[in-house]
Amino acid sequence: VLRNAVRVEEAEVEKCVRDIMQEKKIEQKDTRFKTYLHISLLQISGYKKLYLDVENLRKVPYDSDNEEHEEQLIELWNLLMPHENLKARITKQWCDIGFQGDDPKTDFRGMGLLGLVNLVYFSKHYTDEARQILSRSNHPKLGYSYAIVGINLTEMAYSLLKNGALKSHLYNVVPGLPQMEHFHQFYCYLVYEFDKFWFEEEPESIMHFNQYREKFHEKIKGLLLDYNAVLTLQN
């Protein structure tokens, strides 16, 4: 009964709670136990569903013929560079916000549409912070490619969700079903904290990026081991 309960849809959770309480001979009028069990089952089944939603978005390749994809890409530019018009769809200007070449679509290969959605979410919900971090990423000595690092951090957030490391954080943040919004919020935390970490560490050059990325990854994994972990920008 319990094994099935962690795989059900939201609408079936209430019935599972009753079945478990009956199986374990727990009084049905024990409302406190019922409430906590209900929340726990929603969190466990919701975590699995969130992973599938994130994975499905990651599997969508960026398509320059898709109007919605293109609109999100242009929105990212406008959010980060409000005082500078994009002269063309394919242009070296994209390097100004940290893409590798003159067409950003090639940089989304690994993380698909998820990488773009994350970048847009951070820029839309934390616009001042995003512009400040973009500005800092142009530092003459400690600079890094803002968009490329952002996509790299999407991969980090995705891998932490996939291996279950985000459970404590999400269970503490959401008393019920975690949503895509909560994944995006965790991503925002990573972007903000990585920028701080990078400048505190003062790497000799961007050539050492992988080494410092791994160090940051280990730091985040350590924080997530705390059962009380809540890693959000609202803290």
Side-chain angles (χ1 to χ4, degrees):
V1 172
L2 190 53
R3 196 177 295 121
N4 290 335
V6 297
R7 297 194 186 93
V8 298
E9 293 293 318
E10 183 179 2
E12 300 170 284
V13 169
E14 187 61 43
K15 181 185 181 302
C16 289
V17 169
R18 288 198 302 271
D19 290 347
I20 291 166
M21 291 178 76
Q22 187 178 336
E23 189 72 29
K24 301 303 287 182
K25 298 182 173 54
I26 297 164
E27 288 282 333
Q28 293 288 337
K29 61 178 182 246
D30 188 342
T31 54
R32 195 160 169 235
F33 179 86
K34 188 181 285 187
T35 300
Y36 286 146
L37 181 58
H38 193 275
I39 288 171
S40 297
L41 291 179
L42 280 179
Q43 288 178 321
I44 294 167
S45 58
Y47 190 95
K48 293 175 180 179
K49 184 179 183 304
L50 176 61
Y51 167 68
L52 291 175
D53 290 345
V54 169
E55 174 69 357
N56 287 336
L57 192 55
R58 186 188 72 85
K59 283 179 179 172
V60 177
Y62 184 89
D63 180 4
S64 51
D65 293 325
N66 184 309
E67 202 174 307
E68 276 185 34
H69 295 191
E70 288 286 287
E71 281 174 4
Q72 286 190 71
L73 185 58
I74 301 303
E75 183 181 13
L76 177 66
W77 175 270
N78 291 334
L79 284 164
L80 293 172
M81 305 289 277
H83 306 301
E84 190 175 328
N85 290 329
L86 206 56
K87 294 182 176 68
R89 165 59 182 82
I90 295 177
T91 167
K92 288 290 179 195
Q93 282 178 287
W94 290 112
C95 297
D96 295 344
I97 60 171
F99 286 103
Q100 282 179 322
D102 54 9
D103 190 351
K105 77 171 187 180
T106 57
D107 293 325
F108 293 118
R109 279 190 198 128
M111 285 292 109
L113 201 59
L114 182 65
L116 175 58
V117 170
N118 272 168
L119 282 168
V120 171
Y121 185 95
F122 181 59
S123 301
K124 187 186 284 187
H125 291 82
Y126 300 97
T127 310
D128 290 343
E129 289 86 349
R131 290 175 186 168
Q132 185 183 12
I133 290 172
L134 173 62
S135 175
R136 279 159 60 89
S137 75
N138 290 317
H139 190 281
K141 183 176 182 294
L142 298 172
Y144 58 84
S145 299
Y146 175 84
I148 295 296
V149 168
I151 295 167
N152 201 291
L153 292 170
T154 288
E155 194 281 326
M156 187 182 293
Y158 164 77
S159 68
L160 289 166
L161 178 71
K162 184 178 181 180
N163 68 23
L166 279 190
K167 282 181 181 175
S168 290
H169 162 73
L170 284 173
Y171 292 170
N172 291 331
V173 169
V174 196
L177 283 172
Q179 307 289 338
M180 184 69 81
E181 172 97 3
H182 301 111
F183 177 78
H184 293 328
Q185 285 285 342
F186 176 69
Y187 167 81
C188 294
Y189 171 86
L190 287 185
V191 175
Y192 189 80
E193 290 298 319
F194 179 80
D195 179 72
K196 271 199 315 191
F197 172 84
W198 181 262
F199 278 87
E200 283 166 6
E201 292 287 326
E202 297 187 349
E204 284 178 40
S205 82
I206 193 66
M207 301 304 289
H208 298 286
F209 174 77
N210 286 340
Q211 173 191 336
Y212 286 93
R213 180 208 187 273
E214 201 44 49
K215 190 175 178 182
F216 178 70
H217 193 187
E218 291 301 317
K219 178 185 175 183
I220 297 298
K221 284 195 286 188
L223 293 173
L224 288 169
L225 289 175
D226 180 359
Y227 288 120
N228 298 311
V230 176
L231 307 187
T232 63
L233 280 186
Q234 281 88 351
N235 267 6

